Amino acid sequence: MQAEERIKQIIEWGECFLNENEGLENAMEKAWQENRWFIHEHQKQALKSIKEQMLSANKLEHWINHYNSDLMEKPAKNIALIMAGNIPLVGFHDLLAVLMSGNKAQVKLSSKDSALWKYLFAKMQENQPALHAQIEVVERLKDFDAVIATGGNNTSRYFEYYFGKYPHIIRKNRNSLAIISGNESDAELMALGNDVFGYFGLGCRNISHLLVPENYDFKQMLDVFESYKWVLDNNKYKNNFDYQLSIMLLNQIPFLQGDAILLKASDSIPSPIATLHYQFYKSREEAEQILKAEQNKIQCVVGENHLGFGTAQSPGLMDYADGVDTMKFLLDMKK
């Protein structure tokens, strides 16, 4: 199958599952029932990002033009995909890469994110059976040639033990960071809020750490972040907020309290849910040095000279997780 035909099939598949209808609403409701972090708004946000960043002919063509299309037509390899379940459809880019590379996907879904995937696959089987023939959803992985697995630092050790002998991409925990200049407008801070609160902070592209100039006044930021206090309507988020607040109070840890976020001074890049770490810098050069020193822990950076505020959760086709070129990995399997 030629790459152009795959693009056509993928786009037509997307048009089917992105079409808002009763079937999609039922799938989103099932997804929320199996994982109470997955509110409908966040599922729609994930679908919107996929539509805008990954499912246009121009973007798909531009993507594959970076690679040797002849390799896409060589015999398929079986690629085991172990999906994460922290945010809705988080493994979509991996699946897309397997399909576009002309390989076959053996998919192990997360129990925390299966309902929406099953809807997407049902739409593919119904409307693009040739594309669907490249996918097998399994409970137990077997007879595969390579592995792409996404999980936390603990599960990555498990993955390394069981799959280390195969060609693999095994991802660990990463977090994202924002550089604050102190000159941000309310609109920019509102956009930053989406990077912080989107998906309740559960994604590797969520901002968990701020680099701020010395003597930075957080009042403007906390005032703007008041618009996101709706996250407390989610019981799981509120429980985390209350727990982190009680820990800080009991241990007399200095912190700043917003309506739905707690700010704590720390040089740690990861932060607990409902908590945002911050670190002061004296100069922009120092801030960039911090980024360089922590680059293996960082997924993306927003702020001046980096990604725009509010764009962290909308990665493009060339924005590979952990900076590892998945498409190159999959095509190299065919050499």
Side-chain angles (χ1 to χ4, degrees):
M1 186 189 302
Q2 296 294 315
E4 293 78 10
E5 180 61 22
R6 288 196 190 94
I7 289 175
K8 181 175 180 291
Q9 291 180 343
I10 287 169
I11 289 174
E12 290 178 355
W13 168 49
E15 290 173 349
C16 292
F17 74 73
L18 290 167
N19 180 35
E20 292 194 22
N21 55 47
E22 186 177 352
L24 179 57
E25 284 295 326
N26 289 339
M28 289 195 293
E29 179 63 21
K30 288 179 182 178
W32 182 71
Q33 292 292 341
E34 73 181 8
N35 186 344
R36 294 292 179 156
W37 286 111
F38 286 13
I39 61 173
H40 286 222
E41 290 82 355
H42 286 164
Q43 293 183 63
K44 290 179 179 179
Q45 180 179 348
L47 289 167
K48 181 175 183 289
S49 178
I50 287 170
K51 177 182 179 180
E52 293 178 350
Q53 300 298 327
M54 301 185 189
L55 292 182
S56 78
N58 288 339
K59 289 183 178 180
L60 286 166
E61 289 167 2
H62 182 264
W63 180 38
I64 64 170
N65 283 341
H66 287 81
Y67 304 96
N68 184 348
S69 60
D70 292 339
L71 290 173
M72 299 178 186
E73 311 314 320
K74 289 196 172 184
K77 299 290 185 179
N78 292 314
I79 312 299
L81 291 182
I82 302 175
M83 300 294 201
N86 52 324
I87 67 174
L89 302 175
V90 68
F92 190 87
H93 188 279
D94 287 335
L95 178 69
L96 200 59
V98 173
L99 295 176
M100 280 305 309
S101 65
N103 287 303
K104 294 184 178 180
Q106 194 177 130
V107 182
K108 178 72 170 68
L109 295 174
S110 168
S111 60
K112 297 178 180 179
D113 182 24
S114 66
L116 206 52
W117 274 115
K118 289 175 181 177
Y119 176 77
L120 267 61
F121 290 144
K123 283 296 181 181
M124 182 188 287
Q125 187 173 32
E126 177 185 336
N127 296 280
Q128 297 296 333
L131 197 64
H132 190 266
Q134 290 180 243
I135 298 173
E136 180 185 12
V137 179
V138 300
E139 287 298 321
R140 184 178 178 84
L141 299 166
K142 62 179 181 178
D143 301 327
F144 50 84
D145 299 301
V147 180
I148 299 175
T150 303
N153 290 338
N154 290 332
T155 53
S156 70
R157 288 192 284 270
Y158 166 87
F159 292 151
E160 289 280 1
Y161 178 80
Y162 283 98
F163 305 122
K165 63 182 178 181
Y166 300 94
H168 61 266
I169 296 175
I170 296 176
R171 304 190 184 108
K172 302 177 181 180
N173 284 349
R174 288 209 181 200
N175 299 89
S176 296
L177 184 150
I179 296 183
I180 304 300
S181 70
N183 300 314
E184 286 76 19
S185 66
D186 285 357
E188 288 174 317
L189 292 176
M190 180 66 76
L192 172 64
N194 188 58
D195 297 329
V196 172
F197 295 100
Y199 305 120
F200 297 112
L202 293 167
C204 65
R205 297 181 70 89
N206 279 105
I207 301 303
S208 62
H209 190 94
L210 303 175
L211 289 179
V212 298
E214 281 189 315
N215 302 315
Y216 179 73
D217 185 352
F218 285 93
K219 183 179 186 306
Q220 179 193 10
M221 180 183 292
L222 291 176
D223 286 346
V224 170
F225 281 3
E226 184 179 352
S227 298
Y228 290 93
K229 63 184 178 182
W230 56 266
V231 295
L232 292 174
D233 294 338
N234 182 280
N235 287 335
K236 295 176 78 67
Y237 186 92
K238 187 176 188 306
N239 288 342
N240 276 273
F241 180 86
D242 291 343
Y243 174 77
Q244 295 299 330
L245 177 60
S246 65
I247 290 295
M248 291 184 189
L249 290 171
L250 285 171
N251 292 311
Q252 298 183 334
I253 298 171
F255 67 96
L256 299 171
Q257 182 173 350
D259 289 278
I261 197 76
L262 303 168
L263 271 62
K264 173 186 170 184
S266 172
D267 60 4
S268 172
I269 303 300
S271 62
I273 296 170
T275 303
L276 193 55
H277 288 166
Y278 66 89
Q279 183 177 359
F280 292 114
Y281 65 85
K282 295 180 181 178
S283 67
R284 188 55 184 251
E285 291 74 20
E286 182 184 10
E288 296 296 336
Q289 287 172 2
I290 293 171
L291 293 182
K292 186 176 181 179
E294 302 287 357
Q295 60 184 340
N296 291 331
K297 300 176 184 178
I298 296 172
Q299 192 66 261
C300 69
V301 179
V302 300
E304 188 179 356
N305 298 326
H306 294 276
L307 296 177
F309 292 116
T311 66
Q313 295 294 353
S314 298
L317 290 165
M318 293 298 293
D319 294 325
Y320 292 106
D322 297 8
V324 178
D325 190 326
T326 312
M327 182 65 86
K328 182 180 183 301
F329 168 80
L330 291 167
L331 291 176
D332 284 349
M333 289 291 302
K334 292 183 158 193
K335 289 181 177 178

